[in-house]
């Protein structure tokens, strides 16, 4: 009873912190200390408790350096003019009759290039929302298309922190995961495009004029060369160059462009790489162009560390034994996917972040995928198709709350973020038509088209 009470209090603390805009690290740390103290009072030694936490943390250590590199890279891309150019040229491509469709497609492309849903929403997404408000188009509709597009890249970009986290936790090759994610997203993407096309015709844009484009052209050199860091990422991913080397090459190119083309001093650039990019010379661009940096990403890393420690403790002490027993009764591929989907919704609602949803869901489902003789790549794919894309659909989860706040809207965007729930729906339909009610063996996994 005391453990259930502690979990209930921690859930209330997490949700309250998120809704008030606080840093979720503190309630997570409090939850870890509270549960650890309760288990210690029950007679569990301090050493075993620390070993459980360490086992959880150990699964995420490989991703921390990559997260820090991504933080520095995003700041460098902004300073180099890469992100401003993506926004500038993206706005030029918009067709008034296809505005909603354009919002989804362009945000998806930008998120694929920069690997962050928050970054895509906070730059191009905000610019698109400003245009929508100037034309009296429903905020929720536009926000749904933007946020859905942002999670196309958040799910399967080589720069995505969630993709790296899933690959690290499951011990699977990143590029193989990305290929599988692209294949399984084709049908949901096609359906999403059709829906947004229909919505576009019913909600046309009256004018594409925006002060943002003029402000970008004035503040940055937007010649095609500023796209080199993004092009380098695409080429090196196609050649399957190791991820860290890819990030470092792109970072180096961005640094050269920021110093040589955009005119930043080494001291200014160094500060941006550490604390994040900010632009003070334009009131129009200030809300759009900010973010990245080592220190902000270090905050993310701290959340990952304490979340993995908490996940290790919960699993090690079998705190969620009821959920684990239910998962243990699932034998077919279809039922196991449904179990993963429901667990990811539960953990996304409890943990309030996409990271915690990924970590706790993985800890709970991992032994059951092994028992069903499914490869780790299949567990990684299911995590991407559930925990990653369903977290934004929980109104108080940061994955959806932060983008909605950046766009100055609310949870009303959820019905219009169609890609986020079409993806798991199509996966479920696929498992059903592939005979998901039958048990699995090592042999019939090989026959799975994935």
């Amino acid at each position: 009873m005391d453990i259930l009470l502690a979990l209930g209090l921690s859930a209330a603390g997490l949700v309250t912190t998120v809704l008030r805009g606080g840093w979720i690290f503190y309630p997570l740390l409090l939850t870890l200390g509270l549960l650890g103290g309760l288990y210690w009072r029950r007679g569990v030694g301090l050493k075993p408790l620390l070993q459980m936490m360490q086992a959880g943390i150990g699964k995420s250590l490989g991703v921390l350096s990559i997260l820090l590199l991504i933080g520095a890279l995003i700041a460098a891309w902004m300073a180099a003019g890469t992100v401003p150019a993506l926004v500038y040229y993206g706005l030029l491509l918009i067709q008034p009759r296809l505005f909603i469709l354009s919002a989804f497609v362009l945000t998806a492309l930008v998120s694929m290039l920069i690997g962050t849903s928050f970054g895509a929403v906070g730059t191009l997404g905000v610019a698109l929302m400003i245009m929508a408000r100037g034309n009296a188009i429903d905020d929720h509709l536009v926000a749904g298309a933007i946020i859905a597009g942002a999670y196309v890249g958040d799910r399967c970009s080589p720069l995505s922190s969630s993709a790296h986290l899933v690959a690290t936790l499951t011990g699977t090759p990143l590029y193989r995961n990305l290929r599988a994610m692209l294949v399984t997203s084709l049908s949901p993407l096609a359906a999403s495009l059709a829906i947004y096309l229909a919505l576009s015709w019913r909600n046309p844009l009256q004018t594409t004029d925006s002060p943002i484009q003029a402000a970008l052209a004035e503040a940055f050199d937007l010649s095609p060369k500023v796209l080199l860091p993004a092009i380098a990422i695409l080429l090196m991913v196609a050649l399957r160059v190791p991820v860290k080397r890819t990030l470092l090459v792109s970072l180096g190119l961005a640094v050269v462009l920021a110093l040589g083309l955009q005119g930043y001093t080494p001291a200014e650039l160094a500060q941006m790489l550490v604390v994040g990019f900010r632009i003070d010379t334009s009131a129009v661009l200030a809300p759009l162009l900010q973010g990245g940096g080592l220190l902000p990403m270090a905050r993310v890393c701290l959340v990952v560390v304490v979340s993995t420690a908490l996940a290790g403790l919960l699993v090690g002490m079998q705190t969620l034994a009821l959920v684990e027993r239910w998962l243990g009764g699932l034998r077919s591929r279809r039922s196991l996917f449904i179990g993963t989907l429901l667990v990811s919704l539960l953990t996304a609602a409890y943990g309030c972040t996409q990271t915690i949803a990924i970590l706790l869901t993985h800890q709970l489902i991992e032994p059951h995928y092994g028992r069903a003789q499914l490869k780790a790549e299949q567990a990684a794919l299911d995590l991407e198709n559930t925990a990653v894309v369903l977290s934004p659909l929980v109104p108080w989860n940061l994955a959806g709350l932060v983008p909605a706040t950046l766009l100055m809207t609310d949870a009303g965007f959820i019905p219009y973020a169609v890609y986020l729930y079409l993806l798991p729906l199509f996966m479920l339909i696929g498992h059903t038509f592939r005979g998901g009610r039958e048990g699995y063996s090592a042999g019939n996994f090989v026959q799975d088209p994935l």
Side-chain angles (χ1 to χ4, degrees), residues 97-98 100-101 192-203:
R97 268 287 180 183
L98 303 176
I100 305 300
L101 178 63
S192 299
L193 292 172
I195 292 171
Y196 288 130
L197 176 61
L199 291 170
S200 293
W201 280 100
R202 297 184 62 181
N203 298 271

Side-chain angles (χ1 to χ4, degrees), residues 117-425:
S117 56
F118 292 179
V121 170
T123 51
L124 180 61
V126 171
L128 291 167
M129 184 60 80
I130 292 172
M131 295 177 68
R133 286 201 172 94
N135 287 266
I137 299 179
D138 183 8
D139 285 6
H140 293 147
L141 173 55
V142 179
I146 291 170
I147 293 173
Y151 276 94
V152 172
D154 189 272
R155 173 178 174 266
C156 57
S157 166
L159 297 184
S160 167
S161 58
S162 64
H164 284 283
L165 180 60
V166 169
T168 300
L169 290 173
T170 57
T172 53
L174 175 68
Y175 291 144
R176 185 172 178 180
N177 290 350
L178 296 180
R179 185 173 67 252
M181 284 186 273
L182 287 172
V183 170
T184 57
S185 67
L186 294 179
S187 295
L189 273 175
S192 299
L193 292 172
I195 292 171
Y196 288 130
L197 176 61
L199 291 170
S200 293
W201 280 100
R202 297 184 62 181
N203 298 271
L205 197 68
Q206 301 302 318
T207 176
T208 57
D209 291 337
S210 172
I212 295 171
Q213 291 165 280
L216 286 168
E218 182 179 349
F220 294 92
D221 183 329
L222 297 176
S223 57
K225 66 183 71 174
V226 300
L227 297 175
L228 283 175
I231 294 171
I233 289 284
L234 296 176
L235 289 176
M236 297 180 79
V237 167
L239 296 173
R240 297 195 178 187
V241 176
V243 173
K244 287 186 180 179
R245 190 180 306 167
T246 298
L247 297 177
L248 287 171
V249 169
S250 183
L251 177 62
L253 288 171
V255 166
V256 171
L257 289 169
L259 296 174
L261 192 64
Q262 306 298 349
Y264 289 106
T265 67
E268 289 173 333
L269 182 59
Q271 183 180 15
M272 291 174 188
L273 294 180
V274 173
V275 303
F277 181 84
R278 298 289 184 276
I279 185 167
D280 301 321
T281 57
S282 171
V284 175
L285 299 180
L288 275 69
L289 297 180
Q290 54 180 321
L294 291 170
L295 289 182
M297 191 58 79
R299 289 166 59 92
V300 175
C301 290
L302 286 175
V303 171
V304 171
V305 168
V306 72
S307 299
T308 49
L310 178 60
L313 182 63
L314 289 173
V315 173
M317 290 303 303
Q318 298 184 334
T319 308
L320 303 176
L322 182 62
V323 177
E324 292 188 79
R325 283 198 295 272
W326 174 68
L327 287 171
L330 305 178
R331 290 290 182 264
S332 72
R333 180 69 192 90
R334 177 176 177 272
S335 62
L336 196 52
F337 179 78
I338 293 175
T340 302
L341 187 151
L342 294 176
V343 169
S344 69
L345 281 173
L346 175 66
T347 55
Y350 168 74
C352 302
T353 70
Q354 185 192 69
T355 300
I356 298 174
I358 293 170
L359 292 166
L360 284 178
T361 303
H362 171 259
Q363 289 277 25
L364 288 167
I365 69 169
E366 181 184 26
H368 305 289
Y369 274 70
R371 193 173 297 120
Q373 299 183 355
L374 295 173
K375 292 184 178 180
E377 285 85 351
Q378 190 64 63
L381 183 62
D382 283 0
L383 281 173
E384 292 284 359
N385 291 334
T386 55
V388 172
V389 295
L390 293 178
S391 291
L393 301 180
V394 177
W396 56 86
N397 192 292
L398 287 173
L401 182 62
V402 170
T405 302
L406 289 171
L407 297 175
M408 294 170 285
T409 186
D410 54 33
F413 80 86
I414 291 175
Y416 301 106
V418 295
Y419 174 75
L420 300 183
Y421 45 84
L422 284 180
L423 185 58
L425 177 61

